[in-house]
Amino acid sequence: ASLPPGLRLRAAPLGGGITAQFIERAADDPPDAAAEIAMLRDTLDALDASVVVYDAELRYRFGNRVYHETFPHLPDDSVLVGETYGQVLGRSIDAGSVGDPQAYTDREGFIARRTVEIADRNLSFYDIVGPGGNRTCQIRGQWTPSGNRVSLRIDTTDITRLHRELLAAQRMETIARLSGKVAHDFNNLLTVIIGNLELIRLRGPTPETSALAAAALAAAETGVRLTGELLAVAPVPPSASQSAAGQPGA
């Protein structure tokens, strides 16, 4: 007898030569491995971050769309699969896309160091420069139960720039406050000095002391002018200052 889709007959012996037929829901067919892999690739390609997978031997397995856009000099996966991390890294060195100067002064030492670093299972994340010398990235690596290493690369260039601008603004604010305090203290001292020099001049000193007082008074007045200029620069608005303000397998 034909059954509706999704149902099937299951024979179950009951003993004494009697067999019962049970109607049960058919189990789902085992998933197609190729379809599962294709779905996983589509999912990873939809991410805005770079993802690359190496196996337990640190041989290349897969890089998503953003990974290949980040490193356009690398061939597609059909060529890269099976290459060691060092070989893939060497391709980027040849293309000049690695930001660390050691890659060009000590190629083998650099590849060896980076290989040891990414093989460290206790190192969950680290920051690098590149690709190019004007970008920064954070690499987050995880190991799967089967031993594969999955790396997520996040572009931190804008965050790094904003952090530097914030630090610069904070330094400017600190300098402005210190300048203002020094200027005010210096101005108070000059006021006392000028007042005393005026008293000396008015009391009719000797010609010698009069000349000395005149020279000191001129110097003090210059100090007043310089202090005024310092005070004019000191109150810098920090808010205005703030508003103004790679390696492939990693």
Side-chain angles (χ1 to χ4, degrees):
S2 61
L3 295 175
L7 299 179
R8 68 180 181 183
L9 285 174
R10 179 173 64 85
L14 300 179
I18 301 175
T19 300
Q21 297 288 340
F22 294 93
I23 297 177
E24 63 182 12
R25 187 176 300 278
D28 294 335
D29 292 332
D32 179 27
E36 291 289 317
I37 292 174
M39 182 177 69
L40 176 60
R41 285 180 177 271
D42 287 342
T43 301
L44 294 177
D45 282 342
L47 297 177
D48 289 332
S50 168
V51 177
V52 63
V53 180
Y54 282 81
D55 64 18
E57 308 299 323
L58 292 183
R59 293 186 177 275
Y60 182 95
R61 300 301 301 167
F62 168 76
N64 73 341
R65 171 185 57 83
V66 175
Y67 176 81
H68 284 286
E69 290 175 353
T70 304
F71 303 100
H73 57 273
L74 294 179
D76 60 31
D77 284 357
S78 63
V79 177
L80 287 179
V81 168
E83 287 196 2
T84 65
Y85 171 77
Q87 290 173 319
V88 178
L89 183 54
R91 289 179 179 272
S92 288
I93 295 174
D94 292 338
S97 71
V98 178
D100 193 321
Q102 186 192 1
Y104 309 102
T105 59
D106 180 17
R107 178 191 180 99
E108 297 305 318
F110 174 73
I111 292 176
R113 174 173 66 83
R114 292 292 298 118
T115 301
V116 170
E117 288 173 353
I118 73 162
D120 184 357
R121 293 176 178 253
N122 296 319
L123 187 63
S124 59
F125 71 92
Y126 51 91
D127 298 313
I128 63 170
V129 176
N134 61 343
R135 306 201 67 79
T136 59
C137 295
Q138 184 175 96
I139 306 299
R140 292 187 171 273
Q142 294 291 334
W143 296 85
T144 68
S146 60
N148 292 328
R149 187 182 192 280
V150 182
S151 292
L152 178 69
R153 173 188 293 262
I154 303 171
D155 192 318
T156 58
T157 304
D158 291 338
I159 295 175
T160 301
R161 176 179 55 80
L162 290 173
H163 179 65
R164 289 174 180 167
E165 291 176 354
L166 179 59
L167 289 179
Q170 290 173 340
R171 284 195 295 268
M172 288 299 296
E173 181 181 3
T174 300
I175 292 172
R177 289 176 178 173
L178 289 175
S179 299
K181 183 179 185 303
V182 170
H184 281 294
D185 291 344
F186 191 37
N187 195 51
N188 291 336
L189 291 174
L190 286 173
T191 300
V192 174
I193 292 171
I194 291 173
N196 283 280
L197 289 174
E198 284 289 349
L199 286 175
I200 292 174
R201 186 177 62 85
L202 292 174
R203 288 178 179 176
T206 66
E208 183 180 0
T209 57
S210 180
L212 292 175
L217 184 60
E221 289 174 345
T222 300
V224 171
R225 177 176 58 80
L226 294 175
T227 303
E229 293 176 359
L230 186 60
L231 284 171
V233 176
V236 177
S239 58
S241 300
Q242 292 175 20
S243 62
Q247 293 92 5

